[in-house]
Amino acid sequence: MESLLLRPSFFQPSSFQPSGGRSWRNDTLNKAGSSRSSTSTARAKVEGCSLLRFQRGRSRHRVKAIKERSFSQPRSHTKSLYVNATSGSQPLESEPGAYGGSKGVLDSVKNAVDAFYRFSRPHTVVGTALSIVSVSLLSVEKLADISPLFFTGMLEAVAAALMMNIYIVGLNQLTDIEIDKVNKPYLPLASGEFSVGTGVLIVTSFSIMSFWLGWVIKSWPLFWALSISFVLGTAYSINLPLLRWKRFAFVAALCILAVRAVIVQICFYLHMQMHVFGRSAIFSRPLIFATAFMSFFSVVIALFKDIPDMEGDKIFGIRSFTVQLGQKRVFWTCIALLEIAYGIAMFIGAASPYMWSKGITVIGHAMLALLLWNRAKSVDLTSKTAIASCYMFVC
């Protein structure tokens, strides 16, 4: 009973086979076992060979895939893979910024220069420089006056005046940031390229350098020109009680007239006449003519510059002539004033005793009057861009 419980009956052949057949059964079992073992061995060999072939084929496939990837990838990437495999570190490929670092610095410098160029209002810089050059030539009495001394004195005046010009236009932008966001959003303070602190630093530095240069040169006409320009430019823009004269159209026009027509013409002429050449102060006929012509021109500039800015001026309470009278009326008033100025210049030129002066003055101003009239007729007064372009043409 115990043996039955411990092992199944078919594992006990002696319990139901006679003793005489035991050897035959053993032989049979031995043959069957050997047959099974040989069959198992053969099957194991076949399976082993199949597995070996599979592994070899799989290895060849991997090697082939790696070769294909290595040929299809860039050389730099293959090199980085090799470094990873040998050192276990991160790829040694160059970051994009490694080669782009110098380019990024160059772009930053270009952007800063461009922003300063717009901040300086280049059309005013060019206008100031040309005015000083032209009035300096009025002091030339003979060919020998055009000497290194002449060019040195003229360049000193131009440098000091341009520094003061940057102070004036920069201060105007600092006090007009919100207005310029409407009228001139491309300016660096309005666009956010320059911070208020940067603007203050620029205008302060240039005003100091302008006065320093005027003091070093020791030319009193030049120093007075810088001082009066500083006072009028500050009063024109700064938002303090009784100041910010640009809010009042007539006073604003007088400020521009005083600087462009009187101070630039007379003070810089006296700088050349008295400081450079050491002569007495004489107001020649050419100087009187230039001052009268620039008076017309300065009034035109004072009126014309506000035509493209009517939208922002109206929002922020700047009572310019354009806001009060309208763009079209002010525009054609400016054109008429300039044509009158050219006509007067032609008349005075025709009365000159010198034929060469007569020809240059009459023909030159006639051509300018014709160009202005043709340009004015083509301006679209509903386009802010077209009006601004015409203003630059006039300047």
Side-chain angles (χ1 to χ4, degrees):
M1 179 65 70
E2 184 178 355
S3 63
L4 291 175
L5 293 174
L6 294 177
R7 187 182 294 177
S9 60
F10 59 82
F11 286 106
Q12 299 291 336
S14 59
S15 60
F16 56 87
Q17 291 290 340
S19 60
R22 183 174 299 172
S23 61
W24 174 84
R25 184 171 181 83
N26 289 337
D27 293 338
T28 304
L29 292 173
N30 289 334
K31 290 179 180 180
S34 61
S35 176
R36 283 195 298 270
S37 63
S38 62
T39 302
S40 301
T41 303
R43 185 180 299 169
K45 289 180 179 181
V46 171
E47 291 177 353
C49 291
S50 300
L51 179 62
L52 182 60
R53 290 194 198 99
F54 174 76
Q55 290 176 346
R56 288 177 179 174
R58 192 173 180 182
S59 299
R60 291 193 192 99
H61 179 71
R62 286 179 178 175
V63 171
K64 184 178 179 181
I66 291 172
K67 289 180 178 180
E68 290 176 353
R69 285 198 299 270
S70 66
F71 283 111
S72 62
Q73 291 172 346
R75 184 176 298 272
S76 61
H77 183 69
T78 306
K79 185 177 180 180
S80 67
L81 290 176
Y82 175 76
V83 173
N84 277 338
T86 56
S87 64
S89 60
Q90 295 295 326
L92 295 181
E93 298 180 53
S94 300
E95 294 292 334
Y99 290 102
S102 59
K103 184 179 180 182
V105 172
L106 184 61
D107 289 340
S108 299
V109 172
K110 287 182 178 179
N111 292 336
V113 171
D114 177 66
F116 179 77
Y117 175 80
R118 285 177 280 122
F119 181 82
S120 66
R121 308 294 282 145
H123 67 281
T124 65
V125 170
V126 173
T128 300
L130 290 178
S131 296
I132 295 173
V133 171
S134 63
V135 78
S136 297
L137 290 171
L138 295 179
S139 64
V140 175
E141 296 179 356
K142 52 186 181 294
L143 190 60
D145 289 341
I146 302 178
S147 62
L149 182 64
F150 167 80
F151 287 107
T152 301
M154 184 177 66
L155 290 177
E156 289 172 345
V158 169
L162 292 186
M163 291 177 188
M164 185 56 66
N165 186 86
I166 292 175
Y167 161 78
I168 293 172
V169 298
L171 180 64
N172 187 56
Q173 291 175 65
L174 281 170
T175 57
D176 280 358
I177 294 177
E178 297 302 321
I179 299 177
D180 287 339
K181 287 179 180 179
V182 178
N183 292 336
K184 305 179 185 77
Y186 54 86
L187 293 178
L189 284 171
S191 65
E193 294 173 80
F194 280 176
S195 65
V196 175
T198 301
V200 171
L201 178 63
I202 292 174
V203 299
T204 304
S205 301
F206 276 87
S207 63
I208 293 173
M209 288 190 294
S210 178
F211 280 119
W212 173 81
L213 185 58
W215 182 262
V216 169
I217 294 171
K218 298 187 183 305
S219 169
W220 287 111
L222 176 61
F223 193 82
W224 276 110
L226 298 176
S227 300
I228 297 173
S229 299
F230 177 85
V231 171
L232 292 179
T234 303
Y236 178 87
S237 297
I238 198 165
N239 195 8
L240 291 175
L242 302 178
L243 298 179
R244 194 163 173 79
W245 292 349
K246 67 180 297 179
R247 294 176 298 170
F248 314 106
F250 183 73
V251 180
L254 283 180
C255 285
I256 296 173
L257 175 66
V259 173
R260 283 182 172 265
V262 179
I263 295 173
V264 170
Q265 303 302 314
I266 295 177
C267 289
F268 286 98
Y269 173 82
L270 293 177
H271 162 72
M272 298 298 297
Q273 185 79 359
M274 299 172 65
H275 175 74
V276 176
F277 294 125
R279 301 168 183 157
S280 59
I282 299 176
F283 293 92
S284 62
R285 288 180 60 187
L287 176 63
I288 296 172
F289 167 74
T291 303
F293 183 86
M294 286 305 298
S295 297
F296 271 92
F297 189 77
S298 299
V299 171
V300 171
I301 295 300
L303 297 176
F304 212 134
K305 74 179 188 61
D306 292 328
I307 298 176
D309 299 340
M310 186 179 72
E311 183 181 356
D313 290 348
K314 186 183 294 184
I315 294 173
F316 291 93
I318 304 297
R319 300 290 297 170
S320 64
F321 282 116
T322 303
V323 173
Q324 299 179 47
L325 303 176
Q327 287 179 318
K328 184 176 181 179
R329 184 178 297 180
V330 173
F331 175 82
W332 286 110
T333 299
C334 291
I335 300 300
L337 287 173
L338 272 181
E339 295 290 355
I340 292 172
Y342 289 141
I344 294 174
M346 291 167 61
F347 177 78
I348 294 176
S352 173
Y354 305 102
M355 185 58 64
W356 63 268
S357 176
K358 183 181 297 186
I360 292 175
T361 306
V362 173
I363 296 174
H365 286 93
M367 292 178 61
L368 289 174
L370 183 61
L371 286 174
L372 176 64
W373 183 256
N374 288 333
R375 181 62 185 268
K377 289 192 300 181
S378 65
V379 174
D380 180 11
L381 293 179
T382 62
S383 171
K384 186 175 180 179
T385 303
I387 298 172
S389 177
C390 186
Y391 171 69
M392 293 299 175
F393 174 79
V394 171
C395 289

